[in-house]
Protein backbone atom coordinates (compact mmCIF):
# COMPACT_ATOMS: atom_id res chain seq x y z
CA UNK A 1 0.00 0.00 0.00
CA UNK A 2 1.38 3.40 -0.91
CA UNK A 3 1.93 6.16 1.63
CA UNK A 4 -1.52 7.57 2.35
CA UNK A 5 -1.98 11.25 3.15
CA UNK A 6 -5.08 12.54 4.93
CA UNK A 7 -6.64 13.87 1.71
CA UNK A 8 -6.11 10.53 -0.02
CA UNK A 9 -7.71 8.69 2.89
CA UNK A 10 -10.76 10.98 2.80
CA UNK A 11 -10.96 10.75 -1.00
CA UNK A 12 -11.61 7.01 -0.79
CA UNK A 13 -14.85 7.68 1.11
CA UNK A 14 -15.79 10.62 -1.11
CA UNK A 15 -15.48 8.32 -4.14
CA UNK A 16 -17.95 5.91 -2.53
CA UNK A 17 -20.40 8.73 -1.79
CA UNK A 18 -20.65 10.99 -4.82
CA UNK A 19 -22.77 9.89 -7.78
CA UNK A 20 -23.46 11.30 -11.24
CA UNK A 21 -25.81 14.27 -10.94
CA UNK A 22 -24.99 15.14 -7.32
CA UNK A 23 -24.52 18.63 -5.92
CA UNK A 24 -21.28 18.89 -3.95
CA UNK A 25 -19.39 21.63 -2.11
CA UNK A 26 -15.68 22.12 -1.67
CA UNK A 27 -15.78 24.50 1.29
CA UNK A 28 -12.03 25.21 1.13
CA UNK A 29 -10.99 25.03 -2.53
CA UNK A 30 -7.27 25.57 -1.92
CA UNK A 31 -5.32 24.31 -4.91
CA UNK A 32 -8.35 22.53 -6.38
CA UNK A 33 -7.64 18.85 -5.83
CA UNK A 34 -10.90 18.12 -4.00
CA UNK A 35 -12.85 20.32 -6.42
CA UNK A 36 -11.46 18.30 -9.32
CA UNK A 37 -12.32 15.01 -7.62
CA UNK A 38 -15.89 16.16 -6.93
CA UNK A 39 -16.23 17.43 -10.51
CA UNK A 40 -15.20 14.09 -11.97
CA UNK A 41 -17.46 12.13 -9.64
CA UNK A 42 -20.65 14.16 -10.06
CA UNK A 43 -20.21 14.21 -13.83
CA UNK A 44 -21.80 16.26 -16.56
CA UNK A 45 -25.19 16.44 -14.83
CA UNK A 46 -23.83 17.33 -11.38
CA UNK A 47 -22.58 20.57 -9.90
CA UNK A 48 -19.75 21.63 -7.60
CA UNK A 49 -19.56 24.85 -5.61
CA UNK A 50 -15.97 25.66 -4.62
CA UNK A 51 -15.37 28.33 -1.97
CA UNK A 52 -12.23 30.18 -0.99
CA UNK A 53 -11.40 33.64 0.34
CA UNK A 54 -8.14 33.81 -1.61
CA UNK A 55 -8.28 34.74 -5.28
CA UNK A 56 -4.98 32.85 -5.85
CA UNK A 57 -6.56 29.66 -4.53
CA UNK A 58 -9.53 29.99 -6.87
CA UNK A 59 -7.23 30.81 -9.80
CA UNK A 60 -5.27 27.59 -9.09
CA UNK A 61 -8.53 25.68 -8.83
CA UNK A 62 -9.83 27.07 -12.14
CA UNK A 63 -6.54 26.23 -13.89
CA UNK A 64 -6.64 22.68 -12.58
CA UNK A 65 -10.24 22.24 -13.70
CA UNK A 66 -9.53 23.60 -17.18
CA UNK A 67 -6.59 21.21 -17.59
CA UNK A 68 -7.98 18.08 -15.99
CA UNK A 69 -11.77 18.02 -15.70
CA UNK A 70 -13.80 16.76 -18.65
CA UNK A 71 -16.83 18.68 -17.30
CA UNK A 72 -17.84 22.33 -16.95
CA UNK A 73 -19.78 21.70 -13.76
CA UNK A 74 -17.98 23.87 -11.19
CA UNK A 75 -18.64 27.33 -9.88
CA UNK A 76 -15.68 28.92 -8.09
CA UNK A 77 -16.89 31.40 -5.49
CA UNK A 78 -14.72 34.09 -3.90
CA UNK A 79 -16.50 34.07 -0.55
CA UNK A 80 -16.20 32.59 2.90
CA UNK A 81 -17.43 29.05 3.45
CA UNK A 82 -19.52 30.51 6.25
CA UNK A 83 -21.81 31.93 3.54
CA UNK A 84 -22.46 28.67 1.69
CA UNK A 85 -26.15 28.67 2.66
CA UNK A 86 -26.62 31.58 0.24
CA UNK A 87 -25.58 29.32 -2.66
CA UNK A 88 -27.33 26.00 -1.97
CA UNK A 89 -30.69 24.92 -0.58
CA UNK A 90 -31.20 22.84 2.56
CA UNK A 91 -31.19 19.03 2.18
CA UNK A 92 -29.70 19.09 -1.36
CA UNK A 93 -25.96 18.46 -1.05
CA UNK A 94 -24.45 14.97 -1.31
CA UNK A 95 -20.93 15.77 -0.11
CA UNK A 96 -19.17 18.71 1.53
CA UNK A 97 -15.38 18.74 1.87
CA UNK A 98 -13.34 20.83 4.31
CA UNK A 99 -9.56 21.08 4.66
CA UNK A 100 -8.91 23.25 7.71
CA UNK A 101 -5.64 25.15 8.00
CA UNK A 102 -3.77 27.16 5.39
CA UNK A 103 -3.32 26.94 1.62
CA UNK A 104 -0.46 24.53 0.86
CA UNK A 105 2.33 26.61 -0.64
CA UNK A 106 0.52 29.82 0.33
CA UNK A 107 0.73 32.47 3.01
CA UNK A 108 0.63 30.69 6.37
CA UNK A 109 -0.83 33.77 8.06
CA UNK A 110 -4.04 33.24 6.08
CA UNK A 111 -5.84 30.19 7.38
CA UNK A 112 -9.25 28.96 8.39
CA UNK A 113 -10.44 30.34 11.73
CA UNK A 114 -13.08 29.44 14.31
CA UNK A 115 -15.16 32.56 13.60
CA UNK A 116 -15.98 31.35 10.07
CA UNK A 117 -15.33 27.61 10.29
CA UNK A 118 -17.84 26.91 13.04
CA UNK A 119 -20.74 28.70 11.26
CA UNK A 120 -19.71 26.92 8.04
CA UNK A 121 -19.88 23.55 9.75
CA UNK A 122 -23.32 24.34 11.18
CA UNK A 123 -24.51 25.41 7.72
CA UNK A 124 -23.12 22.25 6.17
CA UNK A 125 -25.38 20.09 8.35
CA UNK A 126 -28.43 22.01 7.08
CA UNK A 127 -27.34 21.65 3.46
CA UNK A 128 -26.54 17.91 3.54
CA UNK A 129 -29.26 15.62 2.32
CA UNK A 130 -30.09 12.42 4.20
CA UNK A 131 -27.18 10.04 3.65
CA UNK A 132 -24.91 12.97 2.77
CA UNK A 133 -21.23 13.00 3.71
CA UNK A 134 -19.15 15.67 5.38
CA UNK A 135 -15.41 15.07 4.95
CA UNK A 136 -13.07 16.98 7.26
CA UNK A 137 -9.28 17.19 7.24
CA UNK A 138 -8.34 18.99 10.45
CA UNK A 139 -4.79 20.36 10.55
CA UNK A 140 -3.25 21.86 13.69
CA UNK A 141 -0.02 22.82 15.37
CA UNK A 142 2.75 24.96 13.94
CA UNK A 143 1.29 27.99 12.18
CA UNK A 144 -2.41 27.37 12.87
CA UNK A 145 -2.32 26.28 16.52
CA UNK A 146 -4.93 24.15 18.21
CA UNK A 147 -7.84 26.50 18.85
CA UNK A 148 -9.76 25.60 15.69
CA UNK A 149 -8.81 21.91 15.97
CA UNK A 150 -10.12 21.68 19.52
CA UNK A 151 -13.31 23.64 18.77
CA UNK A 152 -14.16 21.42 15.78
CA UNK A 153 -13.57 18.19 17.70
CA UNK A 154 -15.68 19.43 20.59
CA UNK A 155 -18.48 20.41 18.20
CA UNK A 156 -18.36 17.01 16.48
CA UNK A 157 -18.65 15.21 19.81
CA UNK A 158 -21.82 17.20 20.58
CA UNK A 159 -23.69 16.15 17.41
CA UNK A 160 -26.87 14.16 18.01
CA UNK A 161 -25.94 10.48 17.48
CA UNK A 162 -29.46 9.75 16.23
CA UNK A 163 -29.01 12.26 13.40
CA UNK A 164 -25.28 12.01 12.57
CA UNK A 165 -22.66 9.29 12.51
CA UNK A 166 -19.24 10.80 13.29
CA UNK A 167 -16.15 8.73 12.50
CA UNK A 168 -12.87 10.22 13.72
CA UNK A 169 -9.64 8.55 12.77
CA UNK A 170 -6.02 9.41 13.42
CA UNK A 171 -2.52 8.83 12.16
CA UNK A 172 -1.57 7.18 15.43
CA UNK A 173 2.17 6.73 14.97
CA UNK A 174 3.01 9.99 13.18
CA UNK A 175 4.89 12.72 15.08
CA UNK A 176 4.32 16.47 15.21
CA UNK A 177 0.55 16.77 15.49
CA UNK A 178 -0.64 14.91 12.39
CA UNK A 179 -3.91 15.99 10.79
CA UNK A 180 -7.16 14.39 11.90
CA UNK A 181 -9.52 12.90 9.29
CA UNK A 182 -13.21 12.90 10.20
CA UNK A 183 -16.29 11.71 8.33
CA UNK A 184 -19.83 12.77 9.26
CA UNK A 185 -22.83 11.02 7.72
CA UNK A 186 -26.30 12.51 8.03
CA UNK A 187 -28.61 9.72 9.15
CA UNK A 188 -31.96 11.51 9.01
Amino acid sequence: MKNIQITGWCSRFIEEQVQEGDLCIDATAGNGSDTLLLSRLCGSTGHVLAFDIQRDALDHTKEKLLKESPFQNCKCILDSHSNMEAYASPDTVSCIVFNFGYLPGGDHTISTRIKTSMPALSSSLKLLKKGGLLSLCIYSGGDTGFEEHDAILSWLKSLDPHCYLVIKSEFYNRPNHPPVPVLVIRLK
Side-chain angles (χ1 to χ4, degrees):
M1 179 179 261
K2 66 180 182 173
N3 184 16
I4 305 259
Q5 299 300 315
I6 185 174
T7 51
W9 186 89
C10 288
S11 292
R12 291 175 180 222
F13 297 96
I14 293 167
E15 289 169 358
E16 292 292 320
Q17 172 68 26
V18 179
Q19 303 294 312
E20 172 83 31
D22 279 349
L23 171 61
C24 299
I25 294 176
D26 185 348
T28 51
N31 287 316
S33 295
D34 289 325
T35 306
L36 177 61
L37 174 65
L38 294 170
S39 173
R40 287 180 174 160
L41 294 171
C42 72
S44 61
T45 59
H47 299 282
V48 178
L49 304 175
F51 291 86
D52 213 292
I53 60 168
Q54 297 179 75
R55 181 161 305 283
D56 286 349
L58 290 178
D59 289 345
H60 290 133
T61 297
K62 289 175 186 176
E63 285 176 29
K64 184 171 277 197
L65 291 168
L66 285 172
K67 283 183 193 172
E68 301 178 40
S69 178
F71 309 112
Q72 300 296 314
N73 58 0
C74 296
K75 181 176 182 179
C76 291
I77 302 167
L78 184 63
D79 198 355
S80 171
H81 52 206
S82 64
N83 297 321
M84 71 174 80
E85 279 187 89
Y87 299 89
S89 300
D91 306 315
T92 61
V93 182
S94 175
C95 184
I96 302 174
V97 179
F98 285 89
N99 285 299
F100 296 99
Y102 54 82
L103 176 66
D107 182 350
H108 290 204
T109 64
I110 302 171
S111 66
T112 57
R113 302 279 186 225
I114 289 174
K115 70 178 185 176
T116 57
S117 295
M118 299 313 294
L121 285 167
S122 294
S123 292
S124 69
L125 295 183
K126 296 174 192 171
L127 297 176
L128 278 181
K129 63 184 181 179
K130 182 179 177 183
L133 175 70
L134 187 58
S135 171
L136 313 176
C137 296
I138 308 168
Y139 295 87
S140 63
D143 299 314
T144 57
F146 293 91
E147 188 178 16
E148 184 180 52
H149 167 276
D150 294 347
I152 292 169
L153 291 179
S154 178
W155 176 81
L156 289 164
K157 193 162 187 78
S158 74
L159 293 180
D160 182 344
H162 298 99
C163 297
Y164 303 98
L165 172 63
V166 178
I167 302 168
K168 175 186 164 270
S169 192
E170 61 185 306
F171 292 97
Y172 198 60
N173 65 341
R174 289 199 181 164
N176 301 324
H177 315 292
V180 177
V182 179
L183 302 172
V184 179
I185 301 165
R186 180 176 168 192
L187 302 174
K188 46 174 147 172

